[in-house]
Amino acid sequence: MDFSLLLVVAVAVTGLVWLLDILWWRPKRRAKLAKATSEHGTALDDATRRKLGKEPWPVDYARSFFPVLFIVLLLRSFLVEPFQIPSGSMRPTLEIGDFILVNKFTYGLRLPVTHTEIVDLDEPERGDVMVFRFPQDTSVNFIKRVVGLPGDRIRYENKQLYVNGEPVPKELIDANPEKAPGEKLFDEQLGERLHDIYNNPLDPGPQLREVIVPDGHYFMMGDNRDHSNDSRYWGFVPEENIVGKAFAVWMHWDGGLPSFTSVRAIK
């Protein structure tokens, strides 16, 4: 289900009904009320006036919901959109059940539904956590970390990421993390971003011979390096698939009571 399309349709329908009432139906109601008052000769009682001037229920609903729907559409399309993390591919940065906020204007303003860029503001930076529409099924949103920018040379061998021929610095933090038995926790310095990743020494994982990121595309990887369906398997993300930059976790919900103790900025 395309929620953006449903929201646009709801705004269009309620706005059209409200506009038709302002331009057409409301003047008719007022004229009918004035005519009844004139024919009656004296002031109409309150019950009759309310009956003649009453808005039809579609107009009443449209007038009530249009401003709310319109504001939600603007906020969701151009400012901030919430998402839920459905998988563990970005652990330990993001856990299953995290609810995140995505900045929709960092990389430029795009129209809802068509996703056409109308204002070019900035470009993704190496290390950003980015939401994008999956290239093989654009109805599905993915979240990964930007590893390769246009023109970069990317290679991944023996658990080591290389960017433009240089190994990306990483440091072992925990050889047996409590939340991920069998994994090893590392700090990785990718561009300006220092963030955590998981590697499983017993899992050979994917190997990637050096590839060059095409113009207008990005190479994406999950922080859970051995358990992430990312650009190592299906290729590059075109710029037109960008949704926005993830910047905060505002809630965690795993089926029980929602938790707000995990509110934090995303590194």
Side-chain angles (χ1 to χ4, degrees):
M1 181 181 297
D2 190 335
F3 184 76
S4 294
L5 178 59
L6 292 177
L7 189 56
V8 169
V9 170
V11 169
V13 170
T14 54
L16 180 60
V17 170
W18 195 14
L19 181 62
L20 287 174
D21 182 62
I22 293 173
L23 298 178
W24 184 256
W25 297 321
R26 187 185 301 175
K28 282 192 169 186
R29 291 196 304 274
R30 289 177 176 174
K32 188 176 180 180
L33 179 61
K35 181 180 179 181
T37 303
S38 175
E39 291 176 347
H40 194 267
T42 59
L44 298 175
D45 59 87
D46 290 342
T48 303
R49 292 182 63 86
R50 284 197 298 269
K51 181 178 179 180
L52 292 175
K54 184 179 180 181
E55 294 178 338
W57 68 264
V59 174
D60 185 34
Y61 276 99
R63 182 173 54 82
S64 300
F65 285 109
F66 172 75
V68 177
L69 293 172
F70 184 68
I71 292 172
V72 170
L73 177 63
L74 290 180
L75 291 175
R76 189 178 184 275
S77 300
F78 303 119
L79 295 177
V80 175
E81 183 175 358
F83 287 88
Q84 183 182 9
I85 301 302
S87 74
S89 68
M90 281 296 292
R91 297 182 68 221
T93 304
L94 299 172
E95 299 287 343
I96 298 174
D98 280 347
F99 284 74
I100 65 171
L101 296 176
V102 174
N103 186 320
K104 300 294 289 289
F105 61 85
T106 297
Y107 304 135
L109 300 181
R110 290 172 168 80
L111 293 175
V113 182
T114 65
H115 310 291
T116 303
E117 186 176 62
I118 55 175
V119 179
D120 184 12
L121 295 176
D122 205 351
E123 302 294 334
E125 297 181 359
R126 195 179 292 113
D128 286 356
V129 177
M130 188 170 80
V131 173
F132 55 92
R133 292 178 293 121
F134 184 37
Q136 295 182 352
D137 182 359
T138 55
S139 67
V140 178
N141 289 315
F142 269 31
I143 181 168
K144 307 289 179 186
R145 193 175 295 275
V146 179
V147 167
L149 306 178
D152 280 348
R153 294 180 288 114
I154 304 297
R155 178 162 55 100
Y156 188 77
E157 294 180 356
N158 300 320
K159 314 291 184 181
Q160 178 62 55
L161 174 64
Y162 298 83
V163 178
N164 296 323
E166 297 294 328
V168 174
K170 67 177 186 178
E171 179 183 354
L172 180 64
I173 300 300
D174 192 341
N176 187 24
E178 183 179 349
K179 291 185 177 181
E183 304 283 346
K184 290 189 176 182
L185 178 66
F186 292 85
D187 266 352
E188 183 180 74
Q189 183 74 47
L190 188 59
E192 299 297 322
R193 295 295 186 93
L194 180 65
H195 59 277
D196 295 337
I197 65 170
Y198 281 145
N199 270 141
N200 188 332
L202 301 180
D203 188 340
Q207 306 292 315
L208 179 72
R209 293 183 297 177
E210 186 170 271
V211 297
I212 299 177
V213 184
D215 288 342
H217 290 73
Y218 297 89
F219 193 94
M220 313 296 296
M221 290 179 67
D223 291 346
N224 195 357
R225 291 291 161 79
D226 299 306
H227 306 283
S228 173
N229 180 24
D230 52 37
S231 289
R232 292 172 291 179
Y233 296 95
W234 41 256
F236 309 103
V237 174
E239 188 173 9
E240 58 265 25
N241 284 34
I242 292 175
V243 173
K245 179 180 179 181
F247 68 93
V249 175
W250 64 277
M251 185 183 77
H252 180 85
W253 183 61
D254 55 8
L257 292 176
S259 171
F260 295 93
T261 59
S262 299
V263 175
R264 67 186 188 280
I266 296 175
K267 295 192 298 180

